Amino acid sequence: MKKIFSAVCALCIAVCICGCSAENGETGLKHVVKYETGDMSDFSDEEESRILEAFEVVFPENESDAYIHAFVREYDVRDGAADGVYFWLEIGGVKDYDAFFKANEGRVKKTVIEPTDDPDTEENEAETGEPEIIYENRSMNEEQSFVEGMTTGEYFITYGLYCSLKEDVAYPETYEFMQKLNAVYSDIEKSRSSEKQEDSENG
């Protein structure tokens, strides 16, 4: 999960401005990201475990009411063909957001870019003399903590990933992570389709 993950976080800031006011009718929690496709919900314990493992997210032991609200796969279609794919994980029922973020800080990569006087360097912070700190793989809530209520229980805790479907232009680690999420999503989707077909046949 390299810098391509950071790119989706930046993109989602714009997405959030348009879509974060949508509310879930059952819980009243707001959505961090507005997605156009359908989502999966109502997961079994086994499905929930697989999704959390694939996303590399953990529920703290004291968060007994935490649950996966939605698992979303949405393709980025350009010129009639899928160019990339988004995955979103929405989590509800969390009582202590700060403790939740702390429990999952192991998935977060922190990079410190020291200031430089070289005018040709993009990371030039000579005017302030302060290093630039980049966090990768945090929740969307933490990325958009400037939005009121984003980290205090008004929004679903949300994790996201975007990856190109072209392996040769994607970071290998991110592409591998996407394939893992895609396999879990496809397995659950297939299982649910089979169940619906059986229900239909049994009438």
Side-chain angles (χ1 to χ4, degrees), residues 24-82:
N24 172 264
E26 295 178 359
T27 65
L29 291 177
K30 300 175 185 177
H31 297 278
V32 176
V33 176
K34 182 180 180 180
Y35 42 87
E36 301 298 331
T37 61
D39 59 357
M40 287 190 189
S41 58
D42 299 322
F43 301 97
S44 67
D45 290 343
E46 181 183 357
E47 290 172 337
E48 196 168 80
S49 179
R50 289 191 65 194
I51 295 168
L52 290 174
E53 182 179 356
F55 254 101
E56 300 176 6
V57 172
V58 298
F59 286 171
E61 290 185 4
N62 63 332
E63 292 288 356
S64 58
D65 294 332
Y67 66 96
I68 296 176
H69 170 72
F71 182 27
V72 182
R73 180 177 66 187
E74 186 169 82
Y75 289 102
D76 179 19
V77 179
R78 303 181 186 184
D79 298 324

Side-chain angles (χ1 to χ4, degrees), residues 49-192:
S49 179
R50 289 191 65 194
I51 295 168
L52 290 174
E53 182 179 356
F55 254 101
E56 300 176 6
V57 172
V58 298
F59 286 171
E61 290 185 4
N62 63 332
E63 292 288 356
S64 58
D65 294 332
Y67 66 96
I68 296 176
H69 170 72
F71 182 27
V72 182
R73 180 177 66 187
E74 186 169 82
Y75 289 102
D76 179 19
V77 179
R78 303 181 186 184
D79 298 324
D83 184 70
V85 61
Y86 294 90
F87 284 97
W88 309 112
L89 171 65
E90 290 187 321
I91 297 169
V94 176
K95 298 182 181 69
D96 188 338
Y97 276 39
D98 288 338
F100 189 97
F101 300 145
K102 184 173 180 59
N104 285 282
E105 64 184 6
R107 80 192 302 274
V108 178
K109 178 182 177 183
K110 176 181 177 181
T111 302
V112 179
I113 301 176
E114 297 295 340
T116 173
D117 293 324
D118 184 353
D120 297 324
T121 303
E122 291 182 5
E123 292 82 8
N124 185 354
E125 298 291 339
E127 291 186 7
T128 63
E130 297 293 331
E132 179 184 5
I133 302 177
I134 299 175
Y135 294 95
E136 300 175 36
N137 312 328
R138 296 193 300 182
S139 67
M140 299 304 302
N141 308 70
E142 294 166 282
E143 291 290 338
Q144 301 179 44
S145 58
F146 56 86
V147 178
E148 186 177 355
M150 189 66 74
T151 59
T152 58
E154 294 181 29
Y155 290 80
F156 287 108
I157 291 179
T158 304
Y159 289 90
L161 175 78
Y162 174 80
C163 184
S164 167
L165 292 173
K166 300 175 182 177
E167 186 173 6
D168 58 331
V169 300
Y171 290 93
E173 185 179 353
T174 305
Y175 190 81
E176 181 180 344
F177 189 58
M178 179 272 288
Q179 288 182 306
K180 182 170 59 175
L181 288 171
N182 197 48
V184 172
Y185 189 98
S186 296
D187 283 351
I188 296 175
E189 184 180 49
K190 183 178 180 180
S191 175
R192 294 190 175 195

Side-chain angles (χ1 to χ4, degrees), residues 9-23:
C9 293
L11 175 63
C12 289
I13 291 175
V15 174
C16 175
I17 293 173
C18 298
C20 63
S21 62
E23 294 189 1

